[in-house]
Amino acid sequence: MPQPMEAATLTGAQARVLDALRTAIISGDHQPGTPLSEVSLAEQHGVSRTPVREALKQLQIEGLIEVRPRVGTFVRSPSRREVIELFELKEVLEGMGARLLAARGRVPPLDELEENIERSRLAVAADDHDGYADLVHAFHSTIIDGADNTQLKNHYRTLMNQLAYHRLVARSLNRPGRLGASLSEHEKVLQHIREKDGYGAEFAMRDHVRSSERETLSS
């Protein structure tokens, strides 16, 4: 799995452009199929074309954009097969993260997850899809960070970039009943983590990811 460039290997301008473009693609500000012009991007970010060109090279490595010879550069949409394969990896990595976090006992990430669940209940009650989508991203990220495994975190970050997951989950949460079902699944994961039931947490998380995959592919 290709790894993102380390910040130390980038100039300030390259890192800034790369982060901005990656965020815009993952969040959906740049939708699949959107053309990306070096000239326009350079003007937008107030840099020369060189930092833009280097940023686009890295985004191509990460699978977020595609270069069509003699046509141009575009935001890439993963194929259905790629989405399925990436979700299979997501299931394994997040299941592992939940198991490792459960084994650590009462650590600060557990407090963050409990607060996340409380805020998620309010978002679901208010039918706040956008707010809940942000909380979903935070819930999963907190579990990965809380696992305290650097290699897991690095691979997970690359995977989530390739999936442009925030965009996918926002779409799947619009399906009827999905907000409440997702919250219930998160509550089960947290319950097992609280009980230090590592394998229960892993299985609950893997079930949750499979449910999310089904909803994403159906939306």
Side-chain angles (χ1 to χ4, degrees), residues 4 22 33 61 71 79 87 90 106 108 140 164 176 196 211 218:
R22 185 190 285 127
I61 291 172
V71 178
S79 67
F87 262 107
K90 186 175 186 290
R106 190 78 200 186
H140 289 251
K196 302 182 183 180
S211 295
S218 298

Side-chain angles (χ1 to χ4, degrees), residues 75-165:
V75 176
R76 185 172 178 273
S77 179
S79 67
R80 183 180 178 88
R81 179 186 177 91
E82 287 174 311
V83 171
I84 291 172
E85 290 175 348
L86 290 167
F87 262 107
E88 288 172 345
L89 286 173
K90 186 175 186 290
E91 178 188 333
V92 173
L93 295 179
E94 291 192 349
M96 176 183 175
R99 173 168 52 82
L100 292 175
L101 176 55
R104 296 185 66 203
R106 190 78 200 186
V107 290
L110 187 55
D111 295 329
E112 295 176 30
L113 290 176
E114 291 175 342
E115 180 183 353
N116 181 287
I117 289 294
E118 291 303 318
R119 294 175 60 196
S120 295
R121 288 170 179 153
L122 295 174
V124 171
D127 201 32
D128 180 2
H129 289 242
D130 291 341
Y132 185 74
D134 290 339
L135 289 164
V136 166
H137 178 70
F139 184 88
H140 289 251
S141 295
T142 300
I143 286 178
I144 295 298
D145 291 343
D148 196 28
N149 184 303
T150 301
Q151 292 302 314
L152 170 63
K153 184 176 179 179
N154 288 341
H155 283 289
Y156 182 76
R157 181 177 59 193
T158 301
L159 172 67
M160 295 299 280
N161 288 346
Q162 289 178 310
L163 267 174
Y165 185 69

Side-chain angles (χ1 to χ4, degrees), residues 190-211:
L190 178 56
Q191 177 182 348
H192 287 291
I193 292 174
R194 279 198 196 107
E195 296 171 353
K196 302 182 183 180
D197 177 7
Y199 288 105
E202 179 172 6
F203 293 144
M205 177 57 85
R206 294 183 70 147
D207 283 344
H208 169 56
V209 174
R210 285 193 292 269
S211 295

